[in-house]
Amino acid sequence: MAYTLILLRHGQSAWNKSNQFTGWVDVPLTEQGIEEAKYGGQLMAKKNVLPDIVFTSMLRRSIETAFYALDQTDRLWIPVKRSWRLNERHYGDLQGKNKSEIRQEYGDKQFMIWRRSYATPPPDIKSDNKYNQANDPRYKGDPVPKAEALKNVVARVEPYFKSDIEPELKAGKTVLIAAHGNSIRAIVKMLDGLSDDVISHVNIPTGIPLVYKLDENFKPIVPRGEYLDPEKAAAGAKAVANQGK
């Protein structure tokens, strides 16, 4: 039996458009982002890849993307589970700052370390930073990071995947995860067993469903999965790679 997992990065957010580090800051989708989310749903409907349950982060751009995508599949009625463990990587004190300006201030090498290093997080967010989530009620009782590298995202995503998502797949359900560039990269790394170096070069486009068929051991039948619109996904991944330039 093959299990079906759909990974969907949220559509363009307001801070994607303005080229800002977003992280755990709760910004909405743009009009373009809404259309991207709808397109993702249209692709799922056209290809008859229909989810039975959806998992999202606690951030509205993920939640909104799931809503608009599911509306296109006539599946707004399916169960939804939300968890901070699917949140975007916490960008620490870079949250809210313009990527191009950070690159100019600190240079290409440091910029890329903060943006793409597997194990090196950006500077911790300061307690008086207005983009600090320490007192956000949605995370009451849960740990709020001061900054994260992708390594930290993998550490929080993997146990949640095994405890909450794998059982739904084992039950024969098609699972949709509407999340973020880095939380999806964490899942891709985990499923495909990618090295720390290889995952640093993986970019996830917005709004294009990435479908994994998994075997009984939850290993990909097709490595790296299959995008429902490969051409548009390639262009979108290239755009993500060029952010900050």
Side-chain angles (χ1 to χ4, degrees):
M1 177 180 179
Y3 305 116
T4 303
L5 174 66
I6 310 164
L7 304 177
L8 180 62
R9 184 183 178 186
H10 64 78
Q12 184 195 64
S13 74
W15 281 13
N16 289 146
K17 184 176 182 179
S18 58
N19 203 29
Q20 291 171 267
F21 285 101
T22 312
W24 283 34
V25 183
D26 200 14
V27 300
L29 297 179
T30 61
E31 287 299 319
Q32 178 180 322
I34 291 172
E35 293 305 312
E36 288 175 352
K38 289 179 178 179
Y39 181 64
Q42 290 163 9
L43 286 172
M44 288 189 283
K46 180 179 179 181
K47 303 288 187 178
N48 198 34
V49 184
L50 301 176
D52 300 304
I53 186 170
V54 59
F55 291 82
T56 79
S57 74
M58 302 290 280
L59 300 168
R60 70 180 62 196
R61 56 194 188 274
S62 160
I63 295 167
E64 290 175 346
T65 294
F67 173 83
Y68 288 112
L70 291 176
D71 189 40
Q72 297 299 308
T73 66
D74 194 23
R75 294 232 155 189
L76 285 174
W77 50 268
I78 67 174
V80 178
K81 294 186 177 182
R82 311 197 196 285
S83 174
W84 65 272
R85 291 181 180 274
L86 294 175
N87 275 15
E88 177 58 286
R89 174 159 76 103
H90 196 297
Y91 277 101
D93 220 43
L94 298 183
Q95 292 191 160
K97 294 182 179 178
N98 182 275
K99 293 177 182 177
S100 297
E101 292 175 359
I102 291 295
R103 188 171 199 146
Q104 291 171 7
E105 182 177 353
Y106 292 96
D108 288 351
K109 183 178 180 180
Q110 185 61 66
F111 173 81
M112 291 308 295
I113 288 173
W114 284 338
R115 185 164 183 252
R116 275 292 185 256
S117 166
Y118 180 69
T120 304
D124 284 356
I125 195 164
K126 296 179 175 62
S127 59
D128 61 350
N129 189 315
K130 66 180 179 179
Y131 298 125
N132 192 325
Q133 285 75 45
N135 297 314
D136 191 318
R138 83 190 78 184
Y139 305 118
K140 186 175 181 180
D142 291 319
V144 176
K146 293 184 178 179
E148 290 180 306
L150 182 58
K151 178 180 180 179
N152 305 112
V153 182
V154 171
R156 60 170 158 88
V157 168
E158 187 167 7
Y160 182 70
F161 188 92
K162 291 183 180 301
S163 66
D164 287 60
I165 297 171
E166 278 192 9
E168 301 294 350
L169 291 166
K170 286 179 179 177
K173 296 178 183 177
T174 295
V175 174
L176 169 64
I177 300 176
H180 307 265
N182 283 294
S183 48
I184 290 176
R185 288 172 71 225
I187 295 170
V188 168
K189 185 182 194 303
M190 178 185 69
L191 293 177
D192 285 297
L194 301 182
S195 69
D196 299 352
D197 180 64
V198 169
I199 196 61
S200 69
H201 300 288
V202 173
N203 295 286
I204 306 296
T206 56
I208 308 294
L210 173 59
V211 178
Y212 275 88
K213 294 290 186 178
L214 305 172
D215 66 19
E216 63 275 9
N217 297 313
F218 292 97
K219 300 299 181 184
I221 295 172
V222 176
R224 304 285 285 270
E226 297 179 286
Y227 282 103
L228 294 187
D229 186 337
E231 185 175 337
K232 195 164 186 175
K238 184 176 181 180
V240 173
N242 289 330
Q243 287 177 359
K245 294 183 178 179

